[in-house]
Amino acid sequence: MATGLDFEQPIRDLESKIKELRSFAEGHQVDLSDEIRTLEQRLQSLEDSLYSNLTPWQRVQIARQSGRPTTLEYVRGICETFVELHGDRNFRDDPAVVGGIGMLQGQPITWIGHQRGRDTKENLYRNFGMAHPEGYRKALRLMRQAEKFGRPVVFFIDTMGAYPGSSAEERGQSEAIATNLRAMAGLKTPTISVVTGEGASGGALGIGVTDRIYALEYSWYSVIAPESAAAILWRDSTYAEKAAEVMRITAQDLVDLRIADELIPEPRGGAQKDPNWMISKVGEKIVAGLKELLQIPIEQLLDERYHKYRDMGSFSE
């Protein structure tokens, strides 16, 4: 297996035994097909049991796996053509946020999302998907451009949070995010966001106020990461697992709380197990969502968007 999560160790052990048995059978010309089949059935049963009973913390760990598709992989896998656009026309281009124009079934769409790296070098270049103010200002520029030309906007959310360094604060990190929130609330074009991995803090919300919010099965979305919440609540970040339990941050929780509109199923064990299949499924959901949204008059869409967010967090006793 590509992943090395502790709770998956029993699966890796059984996979190793199956591999050894196959190698022995081939090397010694022995028929061990019955034994191998039995172990494969046991493996499937073990995977079914494990992945159908994941804790919130285990889901957080899966969402952080490096092999999960990135924004650019989703966009290039979904679109027929894609042209990336750069810069905020003010300070610089932020590699942690990518965006551009891509064609999907003949429809021009603006695509924006957090971008992580595949290795240490690329992650340093992308700042691990943690955007500076210029990243959010680039996103805002592309949103306004899409609004001007009547293009829908699709966002991909996958970040540990907005970059918290002094340089970001000096250039107005909170103002950049707040401006995006206000702009997205009244953007006169259909919008969709997909939480593909981690959706932490204002860094996620800065491109997350949309008409439809979809969440991948093992993703999470919250005002704060479990480790940070634990450090505040119990003054100990090692209580992250407990924090994940009480915060209700999983994709299913998001749907239950009416924060996310729909959950997108992932391959067993996570999107990193079959990236191409995952990209295809996300593309199908986006096509279906846009088909629905494009039929709604803009004024009605804005009204529905307003009530969508006003109704979040409401409850009755």
Side-chain angles (χ1 to χ4, degrees):
M1 289 176 67
T3 58
L5 298 175
D6 290 342
F7 67 87
E8 293 178 315
Q9 188 61 49
I11 292 176
R12 291 196 295 275
D13 291 341
L14 197 49
E15 286 180 330
S16 179
K17 290 181 181 179
I18 293 173
K19 185 177 179 180
E20 290 176 4
L21 205 57
R22 281 186 178 141
S23 179
F24 181 86
E26 292 173 3
H28 293 79
Q29 299 296 310
V30 180
D31 183 11
L32 297 175
S33 56
D34 289 341
E35 290 81 356
I36 292 173
R37 191 178 304 110
T38 299
L39 289 178
E40 288 176 336
Q41 291 173 349
R42 188 184 304 172
L43 175 63
Q44 182 174 351
S45 177
L46 179 61
E47 288 179 333
D48 290 342
S49 175
L50 178 65
Y51 292 123
S52 62
N53 295 284
L54 290 170
T55 66
W57 179 241
Q58 289 170 339
R59 291 175 180 271
V60 169
Q61 291 177 292
I62 291 177
R64 291 173 172 171
Q65 290 296 283
S66 61
R68 297 174 71 84
T70 65
T71 291
L72 286 177
E73 288 170 341
Y74 277 114
V75 173
R76 289 169 178 161
I78 293 170
C79 294
E80 292 97 30
T81 58
F82 174 69
V83 177
E84 187 176 353
L85 303 176
H86 298 271
D88 68 342
R89 300 297 186 267
N90 184 27
F91 182 69
R92 67 158 188 148
D93 183 50
D94 185 357
V97 173
V98 296
I101 303 170
M103 299 294 291
L104 176 60
Q105 296 185 355
Q107 169 74 52
I109 297 169
T110 292
W111 306 81
I112 302 170
H114 300 105
Q115 180 67 22
R116 299 198 188 205
R118 281 291 180 214
D119 52 33
T120 301
K121 181 178 179 180
E122 189 179 358
N123 266 319
L124 289 173
Y125 172 66
R126 299 288 184 183
N127 201 34
F128 296 86
M130 295 186 293
H132 288 76
E134 51 270 24
Y136 293 104
R137 290 176 180 135
K138 173 168 69 173
L140 179 61
R141 179 175 74 84
L142 298 181
M143 290 180 221
R144 290 303 191 195
Q145 183 192 77
E147 181 182 49
K148 178 179 179 180
F149 292 100
R151 291 192 298 265
V153 188
V154 176
F155 301 88
F156 292 97
I157 297 171
D158 185 16
T159 183
M160 295 181 285
Y163 182 59
S166 59
S167 60
E169 295 302 321
E170 288 168 357
R171 295 197 296 276
Q173 183 73 287
S174 58
E175 182 274 336
I177 293 174
T179 298
N180 278 19
L181 300 183
R182 182 178 62 187
M184 296 180 78
L187 202 67
K188 294 181 179 180
T189 192
T191 55
I192 290 175
S193 58
V194 184
V195 185
T196 61
E198 297 188 271
S201 192
L205 198 59
I207 58 171
V209 180
T210 55
D211 297 306
R212 296 290 182 272
I213 302 174
Y214 303 133
L216 268 62
E217 182 179 1
Y218 298 123
S219 68
W220 64 273
Y221 194 31
S222 173
V223 70
I224 193 170
E227 293 90 341
S228 301
I232 293 172
L233 294 174
W234 296 288
R235 300 184 183 276
D236 188 346
S237 62
T238 61
Y239 282 83
E241 183 172 357
K242 181 178 180 181
E245 291 281 351
V246 301
M247 289 167 64
R248 300 192 67 183
I249 62 177
T250 68
Q252 187 59 59
D253 289 327
L254 297 175
V255 173
D256 293 343
L257 294 169
R258 294 186 298 167
I259 295 172
D261 295 282
E262 292 185 49
L263 181 151
I264 303 177
E266 295 190 37
R268 187 168 54 187
Q272 71 279 4
K273 304 293 185 181
D274 194 344
N276 291 333
W277 183 91
M278 191 74 257
I279 291 170
S280 174
K281 291 300 176 184
V282 169
E284 291 174 6
K285 182 59 66 177
I286 290 172
V287 168
L290 288 176
K291 182 178 180 181
E292 175 189 355
L293 292 173
L294 286 167
Q295 295 176 350
I296 303 174
I298 289 299
E299 292 306 319
Q300 179 183 340
L301 194 68
L302 292 175
D303 185 63
E304 291 180 3
R305 188 186 302 163
Y306 172 81
H307 287 288
K308 173 185 178 69
Y309 287 90
R310 290 288 293 175
D311 290 342
M312 285 184 183
S314 63
F315 64 94
S316 59
E317 296 184 14

